[in-house]
Amino acid sequence: MVEPRHYLSKAACNVIFAIMFGNRHDYEDVELLNIISLIYTTFTIASSEWGQLYEMFPWAMKYIPGRHQKIFISLKNLLQFVEKTVEINKKNLDESNPRSYVDAFLIKMAKENANPKTEFHMTNLVTSTLQIFFAGVETTSTTLTYSLLLLMKYPKILEKVQKEIDQVIGRDRCPKIQDRSQMPFTDAVIHEILRFIDLLPMGIPRKTTADITYRGYSIPKNTNVYPMLSSVLKDPSHFPYPNEFNPQNFLDENDGFKKNDAFMPLAAGKRICLGEGLVRVEMFIMLITILQNFNLTSPVPLKDLDISPEISGLGNFPKLFNLAFIPLPVKHVKG
Ligand code: HEM
């Protein structure tokens, strides 16, 4: 029996390490574990009542003691880690062979050195790297963890996904993203997971930079704006089963995959999640690799598996749960 979040956050964190710094860490590496713990602490406290109070009244809460103060400590530690690692990358940079985002940024920084208006300077490198670590690790690992909980709770859906995996991929090769177009049920399940768990129900808070009028409402400059993604993702006029976990929300009458404009767990428009493409690939490859090789078994009766979130604030976090990964027999299905 394992608590899956630990493994999934290590996998998600290593993907971000590879993109940003061009390296990966051993699963027991102290630095990897420390980064995961700092990001998890920041995210969960930001979702707690303390985090929400800070969100609403930052000018006052800055001075009031409480759990939210831990966020600043975690962010400072994360920032120090990023600064230190950027320096290491800088020392062994080979301009003819960039390994990562940080290398590419450093090369561009050197090229734009003489431009006083450049956006490619150290502050932007460090803060953008920190932002991507913060935005890309916990989101993905929580979504994958929640996916396993939902699929364990609904074994018929799990069985249908595994049947599709057997038909399209088989068990003797790794999944690739091109397989997805031939797997309408699996595609619908992945969309439904992202819709149902509604990871960031209020999106990410934004602030107006000018006075604007939106649908007849005047919104002054510097107003905090919360795009309530939940209200769209659970809208009964867009989804036939808004409050159920039901892949039919994304299937047509011929069981083909049905796109839906109200599907916006990653927000929409110009400021849509930067990791949109990566999320789609990670969700498909990681989830399908697990389900291609394992069955999921719960130590508690399915009726007692609670799929409602443990914490619901900035993010929706599932309750802790255990599961057993039961290896599936290797069988050659597709030639
Ligand atoms: C299932 C996983 C994820 C979910 C549900 C998610 C969701 C979101 C949402 C709702 C936003 C707000 C967009 C807005 O305010 O308009 C956002 C922004 C962002 N996401 Fe993600 N995200 C996920 C994974 C990732 C990953 C893997 C990365 C890493 C590359 C990432 C990087 C970002 C960044 C940098 C922003 C800020 C974009 C900006 O300010 O313009 N996200 N994400």
Side-chain angles (χ1 to χ4, degrees), residues 16 19-20 128 131-141 143-144 194 197-200 202-206 227 229 264-276 278-279 282-283:
I16 300 296
I19 295 171
M20 303 310 287
S128 63
Q131 193 188 13
I132 290 175
F133 261 93
F134 188 61
V137 175
E138 196 50 51
T139 46
T140 308
S141 68
T143 303
L144 285 165
L194 285 162
I197 69 174
D198 186 12
L199 184 75
L200 299 173
M202 297 187 285
I204 291 184
R206 301 290 187 188
L229 300 180
M264 47 178 79
L266 307 164
K270 211 170 162 180
R271 298 302 292 266
I272 190 167
C273 170
L274 183 82
E276 188 202 6
L278 181 63
V279 172
E282 280 189 289
M283 281 293 288

Side-chain angles (χ1 to χ4, degrees), residues 129-184:
T129 304
L130 178 70
Q131 193 188 13
I132 290 175
F133 261 93
F134 188 61
V137 175
E138 196 50 51
T139 46
T140 308
S141 68
T142 300
T143 303
L144 285 165
T145 307
Y146 229 138
S147 307
L148 298 181
L149 177 63
L150 289 168
L151 290 168
M152 199 160 63
K153 176 83 179 173
Y154 295 96
K156 288 208 172 97
I157 295 178
L158 170 62
E159 206 181 303
K160 272 185 93 170
V161 171
Q162 285 176 321
K163 202 169 152 206
E164 210 171 46
I165 295 173
D166 276 347
Q167 282 165 354
V168 177
I169 307 171
R171 293 202 196 140
D172 51 4
R173 72 160 170 88
C174 296
K176 50 186 193 303
I177 196 66
Q178 290 81 352
D179 295 322
R180 194 179 51 186
S181 59
Q182 294 172 62
M183 301 171 72

Side-chain angles (χ1 to χ4, degrees), residues 63-78:
Y63 304 103
I64 295 176
R67 275 185 79 209
H68 62 295
Q69 296 291 347
K70 260 188 139 178
I71 293 180
F72 308 122
I73 300 169
S74 293
L75 283 175
K76 200 169 144 214
N77 287 338
L78 273 171

Side-chain angles (χ1 to χ4, degrees), residues 213-227:
T213 304
Y214 181 71
R215 295 191 175 172
Y217 293 95
S218 301
I219 309 179
K221 184 178 171 177
N222 285 332
T223 306
N224 285 344
V225 177
Y226 295 83

